[in-house]
Amino acid sequence: MIDSHCHLDLAAFSEDWQQVVQQSIGKGVSRFLVPGTTSAGWAQQVTMAQAEPRLDLAFGLHPYFLRDVPDANLQQLDELLSHRPAALVAVGEIGIDASLNTPVDHQIYTFESQLNLASKYALPVVLHHRKSHHLLIESLKRCRFQHGGVVHAFSGSVEAANAYIALGFKIGVGGTITYPRAQKTRQTIAQLPLSALLLETDAPDMPMQGRQGQRNSPVYLTDVCHALADLKRTSPDHIDSVTTANYCELFGR
């Protein structure tokens, strides 16, 4: 299995992230994509990947932190992408979040600036969404973005998911589907082709069913794999095989 979205660089893992990686490997997780959120964190991600070759990296400016993002940060991102660290596989986590106080126009400007950088360096993107599928899809089309990516922690309609898939995107499937009450998301994921899906945890956030209030971890990715196998009426081994192939196809691993 591959965890296509886990924030091992955050403070919640500062004391034991390497131990978590080893424990996860013991549970069948072979690779980990660590997405960036702020310019201040990119150097740390590089250092971590130098210490652990199973880490893949994405660098991006997350919409949560855009209040303090000047154009200089976009220039810094451009320069970092130009050096193409060996672990780099994508631009992200980027996107638009309509639940924030940050003006949507500013979010769209920063998002599209990063899409253009991803195009410049022929990299896929890792997308964050909240109440913003229509805005993200409009931006992807306006920028004529052709390098695909993954819609992290997807929730929404089958129609929205298929619109992303038509644009070359995979759909990130995480702990939400382990909750029986999440019927809308579970029904949507059940209807999507397995060839379009990736596994993820979003650790340390989005804990699985039965682990509420605990630190989430890629150690628990098997919970997502088994829940997806139930939805797809297939075996966890088949889910592992196909989603791993999907990841490697998308990110060139």
Side-chain angles (χ1 to χ4, degrees):
M1 295 176 291
I2 298 179
D3 191 340
S4 67
H5 199 108
C6 53
H7 295 279
L8 294 174
D9 58 323
L10 295 187
F13 293 106
S14 62
E15 300 297 323
D16 67 343
W17 72 267
Q18 289 175 301
Q19 181 180 348
V20 168
V21 166
Q22 293 305 314
Q23 290 172 340
S24 301
I25 292 168
K27 295 290 187 179
V29 184
S30 58
R31 296 200 71 78
F32 310 78
L33 175 53
V34 180
T37 56
T38 66
S39 59
W42 298 334
Q44 178 190 353
Q45 289 175 263
V46 172
T47 299
M48 292 172 66
Q50 289 170 342
E52 175 47 71
R54 294 176 181 83
L55 300 190
D56 293 327
L57 304 179
F59 302 127
L61 299 167
H62 193 292
Y64 282 1
F65 308 105
L66 294 188
R67 284 185 172 277
D68 302 318
V69 174
D71 281 348
N73 290 142
L74 292 168
Q75 295 167 7
Q76 183 181 350
L77 179 59
D78 190 355
E79 182 177 352
L80 182 58
L81 295 176
S82 73
H83 288 94
R84 199 71 178 252
L88 175 68
V89 298
V91 172
E93 178 178 354
I94 65 176
I96 301 169
D97 191 318
S99 72
L100 301 175
N101 291 328
T102 306
V104 170
D105 287 350
H106 180 47
Q107 292 192 52
I108 292 173
Y109 166 77
T110 308
F111 175 55
E112 293 189 357
S113 295
Q114 292 180 95
L115 283 181
N116 291 333
L117 288 176
S119 292
K120 179 179 178 179
Y121 296 105
L123 288 166
V125 294
V126 178
L127 295 187
H128 171 92
H129 71 87
R130 188 166 294 153
K131 302 178 181 178
S132 58
H133 288 313
H134 63 297
L135 296 173
L136 291 168
I137 290 167
E138 287 171 5
S139 285
L140 290 167
K141 291 179 177 179
R142 185 161 48 242
C143 293
R144 299 181 180 179
F145 187 70
Q146 301 292 321
H147 300 284
V150 55
V151 187
H152 154 57
F154 181 82
S155 62
S157 66
V158 173
E159 291 75 17
N162 283 331
Y164 286 116
I165 293 169
L167 291 168
F169 281 76
K170 306 295 187 187
I171 303 299
V173 182
T176 299
I177 68 164
T178 67
Y179 290 85
R181 69 174 184 269
Q183 282 303 311
K184 180 180 177 183
T185 298
R186 286 169 55 85
Q187 290 169 6
T188 295
I189 297 300
Q191 295 178 67
L192 300 179
L194 187 53
S195 60
L197 304 182
L198 298 181
L199 302 178
E200 63 170 58
T201 61
D202 197 26
D205 298 320
M206 293 182 66
M208 313 294 170
Q209 165 72 18
R211 305 185 192 277
Q212 296 94 318
Q214 302 177 28
R215 180 184 73 171
N216 197 11
S217 169
V219 171
Y220 307 133
L221 187 63
T222 184
D223 292 6
V224 181
C225 182
H226 281 262
L228 184 56
D230 288 343
L231 286 178
K232 290 295 189 181
R233 299 182 180 180
T234 187
S235 69
D237 284 347
H238 183 58
I239 296 295
D240 179 358
S241 176
V242 176
T243 57
T244 295
N246 294 345
Y247 181 98
C248 293
E249 175 193 9
L250 176 61
F251 294 117
R253 284 317 202 212

